[in-house]
């Protein structure tokens, strides 16, 4: 079976997806409100999955799935497999206890509104009034003290008047203490009532928290997934062995787990799987209608590692297609402070999970650990081109500062899908789209206008050939996948980089690699006062 985290579906899944699209178009023309609403939800953005499986007689079967739920908590629609675990039965354990927790939410809100908040407001108001009264008296005391000081300075006050001044000062200090004590005395009964209300509110919240955690744990324990060896394990047990320990929301409700579970329950052997995006992309995501995408890693990698035990996967899971592969970087220049290397596509910049040698490890092997060689910046695994590495801590800090202060000018060359002129794109310009990680589908990044980190790219189109546009990119920031997202996002250029397996179109093996190359790098090096400029030949994409 193909790797569900791979990026090119086989012909069986392509044909099955085409049939699914025709089926959806048929539903679109239906008079059934259920069908119309179903298609409307798909059009709003949904992942769809197809699975080809064989039975004991060797006959093929096609299964379809949609991710998550449809409508008001629905798991079912004719023609699609059901959920791995239907916990939404109206009178079932989950819905019953969920309703109880919802009732607790209402009771907590009512208690705050009717009891706690009025007490808090009364206490706050009285405390403020008392403090204002004390502060007003302090002001009077300060003014009185200033008058006494002026009278003393004049030298005209006799002994009796000076004694009166002392008694007045003592009285004012004592009166401030008395005002503070009266404030405490007036607030104490109210403070007691407020503390009791706060204690009751905290108990209600703790009870709700415990019930919520217990219900979540019940779901984790009862959401059980099969594998290719006929074994069964709960989603809680699966994630307990991972660094995050607790399953993320919606774990097990993606297309691939639904499809595999349905196949196993029928006694069928899965032989091919693929997932496609249908409809509009969700906010910030770079998704295209009808395009193939791999299974999400955050939710699905631990689950599918379990569910696919006993099934031969090519390439192996956990993206091991580069394991054991060797690469041949080049050293283009070196001096006592740094070297300039050319990293090939497919090579990691720094060590990863696989056994393949990273560029960092290759440099350490070449120069020896005593040179303290360290990459000053990185390129994506699929990107080729120039990378600078420093020798020693001093040079590293200097070069890092140049990059951090945007004093390094980088030029990338990329081939984008589409004719920029026919698409009405500007010949040059600047893209400013802040980015943040898609935590449940790493390593993907997303456009995040609210909390994303600033990402800026200047671009200039330099040619077009057979529907492919060549562009120069000049990144002003260095965010992960910045150029890939800025190229593919509709709010960017809307033209994915050719061969982009994450954000581009699925063109089978039309492009063997990502068409992105770090072509040129220029900077002034303050240590020796020289200007440096390095460039490299364009690879054959």
């Amino acid at each position: 079976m193909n790797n569900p985290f791979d990026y090119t579906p086989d012909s069986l899944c392509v044909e099955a997806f085409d049939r699914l699209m025709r089926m959806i178009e048929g539903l679109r023309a239906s008079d059934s409100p259920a069908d119309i609403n179903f298609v409307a939800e798909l059009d709003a953005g949904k992942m769809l999955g197809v699975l080809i499986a064989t039975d004991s007689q060797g006959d093929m079967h096609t299964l379809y799935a949609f991710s998550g739920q449809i409508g008001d908590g629905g798991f079912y629609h004719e023609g699609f497999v059901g959920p791995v675990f239907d916990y939404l039965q109206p009178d079932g354990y989950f819905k019953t206890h969920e309703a109880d927790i919802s009732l607790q939410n209402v009771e907590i809100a009512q208690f705050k509104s009717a009891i706690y908040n009025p007490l808090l407001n009364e206490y706050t108001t009285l405390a403020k009034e008392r403090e204002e009264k004390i502060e007003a008296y302090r002001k009077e005391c300060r003014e009185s003290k200033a008058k006494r000081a002026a009278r003393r300075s004049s030298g005209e006050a006799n002994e009796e008047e000076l004694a009166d001044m002392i008694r007045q000062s003592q009285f004012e200090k004592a009166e401030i203490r008395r005002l503070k004590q009266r404030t405490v005395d007036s607030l104490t009964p109210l403070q007691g009532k407020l503390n009791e209300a706060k204690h009751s509110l905290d108990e209600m919240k703790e009870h709700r928290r415990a019930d919520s955690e217990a219900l979540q744990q019940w779901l984790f324990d009862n959401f059980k997934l099969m594998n290719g060896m006929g074994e069964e394990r709960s989603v809680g047990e699966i994630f307990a062995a991972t660094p995050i320990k607790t399953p993320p929301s919606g774990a097990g409700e993606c297309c691939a787990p639904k499809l595999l579970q349905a196949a196993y329950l029928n006694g069928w052997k899965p032989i091919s799987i693929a997932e496609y995006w249908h409809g509009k992309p969700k906010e910030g995501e770079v998704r295209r209608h009808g395009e193939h995408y791999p299974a999400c890693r955050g939710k699905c990698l631990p689950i599918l590692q379990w569910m696919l035990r006993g099934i031969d996967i090519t390439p192996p899971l956990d993206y091991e297609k580069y394991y054991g592969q060797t690469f041949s970087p080049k050293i283009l220049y070196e001096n006592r402070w740094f070297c300039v290397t050319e990293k090939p596509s497919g090579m990691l910049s720094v060590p990863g999970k696989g056994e393949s040698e990273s560029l960092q490890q290759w440099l350490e092997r070449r120069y020896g650990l005593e040179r303290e060689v360290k990459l000053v910046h990185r390129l994506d695994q699929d990107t080729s081109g120039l990378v600078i590495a420093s020798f020693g801590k001093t040079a590293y800090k200097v070069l890092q500062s140049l990059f951090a202060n945007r004093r390094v000018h980088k030029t990338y060359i990329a081939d984008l899908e589409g004719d920029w002129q026919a698409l009405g794109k500007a010949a040059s310009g600047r893209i400013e789209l802040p980015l943040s990680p898609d935590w449940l589908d790493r390593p993907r990044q997303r456009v995040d206008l609210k909390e994303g980190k600033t990402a800026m790219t200047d671009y200039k189109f330099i040619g077009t050939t057979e529907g492919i546009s060549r562009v120069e990119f000049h990144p002003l920031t260095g965010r992960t996948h910045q150029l890939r997202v800025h190229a593919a996002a509709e709010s960017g250029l809307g033209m994915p980089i050719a061969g982009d397996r994450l954000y581009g179109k699925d063109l089978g093996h039309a492009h063997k690699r990502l068409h992105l190359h770090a072509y040129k790098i220029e900077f002034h090096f303050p240590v020796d006062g020289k200007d440096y400029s390095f460039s490299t030949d364009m690879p054959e994409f």
Side-chain angles (χ1 to χ4, degrees):
M1 179 179 148
N2 64 295
N3 187 327
F5 298 97
D6 209 347
Y7 295 82
T8 304
D10 62 20
S11 59
L12 291 174
C13 282
V14 172
E15 293 171 1
F17 182 69
D18 289 341
R19 293 195 298 273
L20 177 58
M21 289 298 96
R22 290 194 294 272
M23 183 177 78
I24 292 173
E25 288 307 308
L27 296 176
R28 193 185 302 279
S30 170
D31 295 329
S32 166
D35 289 342
I36 294 172
N37 292 335
F38 177 73
V39 174
E41 288 221 30
L42 296 185
D43 290 343
K46 205 73 169 170
M47 195 69 80
L48 301 177
V50 298
L51 174 73
I52 312 299
T54 57
D55 59 25
S56 59
Q57 304 300 315
D59 294 331
M60 285 190 181
H61 302 270
T62 301
L63 299 173
Y64 297 116
F66 54 81
S67 61
Q69 305 168 19
I70 288 288
D72 297 328
F75 281 130
Y76 302 96
H77 196 87
E78 185 178 356
F80 293 82
V81 302
V84 173
F85 175 48
D86 186 355
Y87 55 89
L88 297 180
Q89 293 297 318
D91 298 324
Y93 184 94
F94 186 87
K95 296 301 288 185
T96 301
H97 286 73
E98 185 182 52
D100 181 60
I101 293 170
S102 297
L103 180 60
Q104 292 181 51
N105 290 333
V106 173
E107 291 172 345
I108 289 171
Q110 290 176 340
F111 183 86
K112 288 181 66 176
S113 175
I115 298 176
Y116 180 76
N117 287 345
L119 284 171
L120 179 61
N121 292 336
E122 184 180 356
Y123 180 88
T124 303
T125 300
L126 182 58
K128 183 179 179 182
E129 290 174 352
R130 294 292 185 179
E131 185 58 39
E132 287 175 348
K133 187 174 182 179
I134 294 172
E135 184 55 36
Y137 188 72
R138 282 197 181 106
K139 183 179 179 182
E140 292 178 11
C141 292
R142 287 193 294 269
E143 292 173 351
S144 177
K145 182 179 180 180
K147 290 179 181 179
R148 291 194 296 271
R151 182 65 179 164
R152 290 191 186 97
S153 298
S154 69
E156 298 176 359
N158 56 34
E159 290 185 4
E160 184 178 353
E161 187 177 358
L162 289 173
D164 285 341
M165 290 182 189
I166 292 173
R167 285 192 294 272
Q168 184 182 15
S169 175
Q170 291 172 341
F171 174 82
E172 289 172 350
K173 291 178 181 177
E175 184 63 14
I176 289 176
R177 290 194 295 271
R178 286 190 289 269
L179 284 173
K180 288 182 177 179
Q181 185 59 49
R182 285 196 289 272
T183 297
V184 171
D185 292 342
S186 64
L187 289 176
T188 296
L190 194 56
Q191 178 73 66
K193 293 180 181 179
L194 184 60
N195 289 342
E196 288 180 6
K198 179 65 165 58
H199 179 70
S200 297
L201 183 60
D202 288 343
E203 283 188 330
M204 295 170 72
K205 288 183 176 180
E206 175 60 25
H207 186 261
R208 179 185 61 183
R209 183 199 63 78
D211 284 356
S212 296
E213 288 188 359
L215 182 58
Q216 193 67 65
Q217 189 60 51
W218 176 88
L219 181 60
F220 293 159
D221 292 341
N222 287 275
F223 203 113
K224 297 183 178 180
L225 300 135
M226 300 175 66
N227 66 16
M229 301 171 67
E231 301 169 329
E232 194 173 60
R233 182 174 291 180
S234 72
V235 69
E237 292 172 321
I238 291 171
F239 277 89
T242 70
I244 64 174
K245 303 299 182 184
T246 302
S249 176
E253 296 183 31
C254 295
C255 293
K258 287 184 176 182
L259 291 167
L260 290 169
Q261 188 84 348
Y264 295 149
L265 289 173
N266 280 292
W268 299 340
K269 179 182 178 181
I271 61 172
S272 181
I273 193 170
E275 295 184 51
Y276 296 81
W277 185 258
H278 186 284
K280 299 176 182 178
K282 301 297 184 183
E283 182 180 1
E285 292 186 355
V286 181
R287 303 280 191 188
R288 294 175 179 274
H289 173 70
E291 294 299 331
H292 167 260
Y293 292 92
C296 66
R297 299 182 70 84
K299 294 180 184 179
C300 288
L301 182 57
I303 288 174
L304 297 188
Q305 283 179 320
W306 162 256
M307 296 191 78
L308 289 169
R309 287 186 182 183
I311 305 296
D312 292 330
I313 306 296
T314 304
L317 278 178
D318 212 11
Y319 240 103
E320 297 175 339
K321 69 178 183 178
Y322 293 121
Y323 280 23
Q325 189 172 348
T326 57
F327 297 95
S328 300
K330 299 177 183 177
I331 300 295
L332 303 183
Y333 173 84
E334 65 177 271
N335 58 27
R336 58 182 293 191
W337 297 290
F338 63 84
C339 66
V340 180
T341 69
E342 183 177 356
K343 183 187 83 71
S345 175
M347 187 179 200
L348 289 167
S349 291
V350 294
K353 294 181 179 180
E355 298 174 359
S356 289
E357 188 174 49
S358 67
L359 179 59
Q360 173 69 41
Q361 292 167 316
W362 185 85
L363 289 168
E364 290 173 349
R365 182 166 56 84
R366 177 185 175 90
Y367 289 108
L369 296 177
E370 64 276 5
R371 291 292 300 274
E372 295 183 287
V373 61
K374 191 173 183 180
L375 299 188
V376 181
H377 62 118
R378 303 177 186 180
L379 293 180
D380 292 344
Q381 181 176 4
D382 295 338
T383 304
S384 59
L386 300 178
V387 179
I388 298 174
S390 61
F391 298 124
K393 293 182 177 65
T394 300
Y396 177 76
K397 290 181 180 178
V398 171
L399 288 165
Q400 275 269 290
S401 177
L402 295 180
F403 276 90
N405 293 295
R406 302 179 186 175
R407 293 166 63 186
V408 178
H409 187 73
K410 295 173 286 184
T411 302
Y412 289 73
I413 302 295
D415 289 337
L416 309 188
E417 295 173 3
D419 185 320
W420 67 273
Q421 291 176 308
L423 293 170
K425 306 295 180 181
S428 60
R430 175 170 292 181
I431 304 166
E432 297 186 56
L433 293 176
L435 305 177
S436 66
D438 187 340
W439 296 109
L440 292 179
D441 199 4
R442 302 295 298 272
R444 291 180 63 88
Q445 306 292 303
R446 60 193 299 273
V447 177
D448 187 345
L449 300 179
K450 295 180 180 179
E451 299 180 1
K453 292 184 178 180
T454 300
M456 295 187 293
T457 304
D458 287 339
Y459 73 90
K460 177 183 178 182
F461 286 105
I462 57 177
T464 305
T465 305
E466 297 180 354
I468 295 291
S469 299
R470 179 152 288 191
V471 65
E472 281 187 4
F473 281 130
H474 301 285
L476 305 180
T477 53
R479 307 300 176 204
T480 301
H481 293 180
Q482 176 176 317
L483 300 182
R484 299 167 72 170
V485 176
H486 280 183
E490 290 298 331
S491 48
L493 290 176
M495 301 172 65
I497 298 175
D500 192 337
R501 60 187 187 175
L502 281 180
Y503 308 102
K505 296 180 179 179
D506 178 24
L507 300 177
H509 295 286
H511 303 292
K512 295 181 179 179
R513 55 153 292 188
L514 180 71
H515 288 216
L516 179 62
H517 185 68
Y519 168 71
K520 191 174 186 179
I521 194 164
E522 302 167 284
F523 59 94
H524 175 79
F525 191 55
V527 177
D528 62 5
K530 293 182 180 180
D531 293 325
Y532 288 94
S533 178
F534 303 99
S535 60
T536 180
D537 295 333
M538 288 296 297
E540 293 184 6
F541 289 133

